[in-house]
Amino acid sequence: MEPRPAAPGPCPGDSRGAEEAAAASSLNPAGAEAQPRRRAPAVAAVLPAGGSGERMGVPTPKQFCPILERPLISYTLQALERVCWIKDIVVAVTGENMEAMKRIIQKYQHQRISLVEAGVTRHRSIFNGLKALAEDQPDSKLSKPEVVIIHDAVRPFVEEDVLLKVVTAAKEHGAAGAIRPLVSTVISPSADGCLDHSLERARHRASEMPQAFRFDVIYEAYQQHVKVTSGALCPARDLEQIILEQCYNYVCVNVMSSDFEETRKLLNMLEESNLSILYPIVVISVYFLDYKSVPFDEKMESLIQIREYAKEVKKRNILLSGLLIYFPQDEQKLQASLRQGVTIIATLIKERNSGLVGQLLVA
C-alpha cells in the first residue's frame, strides 16, 4: 500500500519567486544554512490519463470513477498541486474525455494544469505530454523543465517527500523512481514453460510510481522509442541515418503497390546493422491496395511471401508482420480502417509478440 499524502500546508504566496524559494529550501538538509544553497531544479509533471478501464471491466475509465462523489484523478491532481515547486502539470486524456477533464478542472479549481490529447498507447500519451513541455515543438506554450515527474493519474496517495527524493536523485543521476521490497513470489520459467526457479526476493525490488527524469534524457529516449519511418518513401541514405540512430520500430508503407522490394531493402539494412542482436526490432509492412484493380488471389499471392521472409529474419531477432488496408472505400469505412490499422501497429510495437511474426493482418 502506498502512504497517504501529507498535508504540507499552503504555499508561501502565489508568486513564482516564493515557489522557487520554497523549493530551494526543501532541497537543503536541516541545519545547512551555512552551506551554499543548491539551486532548485525547474520541475514539471506528466500524468497519462488515457486509459479506457478495460482491465477493470467497467464502462467508466478508472481515473474518472467517483470516490466520495469526486473523480479519482482530481485527488491525484490535488496531491501534486500541494507541492509548490512543481511548476506545471500536464495531463494526457483522450479526445472523447477532453471536455469532461476540463469540467473537472473548473469544478474543483485545479491550478497549473495543461491538457494534451492522449495517444493510442501509454508511451504515446507520455510522449505527447513531454512534447507540450519541449522547446522544439512549434505549439509549445510551456517552458521546458529541468526535471519531469511521470506519475499515474490513479495514484493520489503520493507524498511530497517521495516526490522530492526522486526529483533530487533524477537531477543527479538522470533517472530515478520509487521502489518497494518484493512481497510476491516471482517465478522464472524454463524454455518449455515449466517452473525453473523462483527469484530471491531479497535481491530484487518492485518498481513503483512516481518516476522522475532529467527532461533532456527522457525526451530523447521517447523520441527514439516512437520514431516511425516510411521505408517506401524514405531515400536509402535517410534510412541509413535512422538506423545509425538506433531506431527499433519501423513501418514500411507501400502505397498503390504490393511490391515487397522496399521492405526487403529495409530488412537487409537492418540485418547488416546488427542492432537486432541487442533488442528485437519490429518491422510492419503496410499495404494500401485498390481491391478493384487486381484480383484478390493475385494480390494475396504477392503478399504471402511475407511469411517465409519473416521466418528468415526472425533468426536475427527481427519481428516482421504485414498489414493490409483496402481502398477505395467510402470515407467513413476508410477512416475506421485507418484507426484500426493504427491500433494494430501500436499493439505490434508495444507487445513485440513473436507469435504474430509473418502474419498478414487486415484492418
Side-chain angles (χ1 to χ4, degrees):
M1 293 290 293
E2 292 183 279
R4 304 182 71 86
C11 294
D14 295 328
S15 68
R16 184 55 52 96
E19 291 181 2
E20 291 177 350
S25 176
S26 63
L27 286 174
N28 277 299
E33 288 82 356
Q35 298 178 5
R37 179 170 291 178
R38 289 178 288 174
R39 182 181 62 85
V43 180
V46 172
L47 272 67
S52 62
E54 183 177 336
R55 288 183 297 176
M56 283 187 64
V58 295
T60 302
K62 57 180 176 290
Q63 62 269 27
F64 297 113
C65 287
I67 307 295
L68 298 178
E69 301 183 353
R70 184 170 181 168
L72 178 56
I73 191 172
S74 180
Y75 291 104
T76 307
L77 293 177
Q78 184 182 56
L80 294 177
E81 286 174 317
R82 289 173 177 170
V83 182
C84 303
W85 42 266
I86 296 179
K87 182 180 176 183
D88 296 299
I89 303 169
V90 181
V91 183
V93 296
T94 59
E96 58 265 32
N97 290 323
M98 189 68 70
E99 290 303 317
M101 191 67 235
K102 290 179 181 179
R103 288 193 295 270
I104 291 171
I105 292 172
Q106 183 177 14
K107 180 177 180 179
Y108 298 101
Q109 300 181 349
H110 290 298
Q111 303 295 322
R112 313 196 304 273
I113 310 297
S114 299
L115 300 181
V116 297
E117 188 160 352
V120 294
T121 65
R122 177 182 171 85
H123 280 87
R124 279 285 183 179
S125 295
I126 294 174
F127 187 43
N128 289 350
L130 295 174
K131 286 192 290 186
L133 295 165
E135 294 177 338
D136 62 350
Q137 298 297 313
D139 56 348
S140 179
K141 299 177 182 178
L142 304 174
S143 57
K144 187 181 78 169
E146 186 177 356
V147 176
V148 62
I149 298 167
I150 308 294
H151 190 56
D152 288 335
V154 296
R155 297 184 186 273
F157 303 132
V158 57
E159 295 183 351
E160 181 175 357
D161 66 331
V162 174
L163 292 167
L164 179 60
K165 287 175 181 177
V166 296
V167 165
T168 304
K171 185 177 184 297
E172 181 177 355
H173 301 288
I179 60 171
R180 62 173 174 82
L182 283 177
V183 294
S184 301
T185 300
V186 182
I187 304 300
S188 177
S190 61
D192 57 2
C194 297
L195 170 62
D196 186 49
H197 65 279
S198 59
L199 299 181
E200 185 180 344
R201 286 180 294 187
R203 300 180 59 187
H204 299 84
R205 296 293 183 268
S207 177
E208 299 284 349
M209 290 294 181
Q211 297 173 348
F213 306 84
R214 281 206 298 266
F215 184 82
D216 291 338
V217 171
I218 189 64
Y219 187 54
E220 182 179 355
Y222 267 89
Q223 284 179 308
Q224 293 296 327
H225 179 78
V226 302
K227 188 181 295 180
V228 175
T229 184
S230 167
L233 304 177
C234 248
R237 63 180 181 275
D238 292 341
L239 277 176
E240 289 176 355
Q241 181 59 39
I242 291 170
I243 290 171
L244 285 175
E245 293 174 356
Q246 297 189 341
C247 178
Y248 289 90
N249 308 312
Y250 293 85
V251 178
C252 264
V253 181
N254 301 272
V255 182
M256 299 293 291
S257 171
S258 60
D259 189 6
F260 193 69
E261 188 59 31
E262 294 293 342
T263 302
R264 194 191 308 275
K265 290 178 182 177
L266 171 61
L267 293 170
N268 288 340
M269 294 174 70
L270 289 172
E271 286 184 295
E272 293 172 2
S273 73
N274 288 325
L275 273 178
S276 55
I277 294 176
L278 303 174
Y279 188 71
I281 290 178
V282 171
V283 176
I284 305 161
S285 192
V286 181
Y287 301 92
F288 289 85
L289 293 181
D290 184 350
Y291 63 87
K292 294 181 179 179
S293 61
V294 183
F296 179 80
D297 56 348
E298 186 175 330
K299 294 171 187 169
M300 294 306 297
E301 183 179 354
S302 63
L303 293 175
I304 204 68
Q305 61 181 312
I306 194 172
R307 180 171 299 176
E308 293 303 318
Y309 209 82
K311 292 179 182 178
E312 291 300 316
V313 297
K314 186 181 178 182
K315 299 174 184 176
R316 296 295 303 272
N317 212 16
I318 299 175
L319 311 181
L320 171 65
S321 303
L323 176 62
L324 183 62
I325 299 177
Y326 283 123
F327 76 96
Q329 305 179 47
D330 64 67
E331 183 67 20
Q332 187 174 1
K333 289 183 178 179
L334 180 57
Q335 290 299 322
S337 292
L338 291 174
R339 285 193 294 269
Q340 181 65 24
V342 169
T343 301
I344 291 172
I345 290 171
T347 302
L348 290 172
I349 290 175
K350 179 181 179 181
E351 300 296 335
R352 289 181 137 69
N353 189 342
S354 60
L356 295 176
V357 165
Q359 299 299 311
L360 181 62
L361 307 172
V362 180

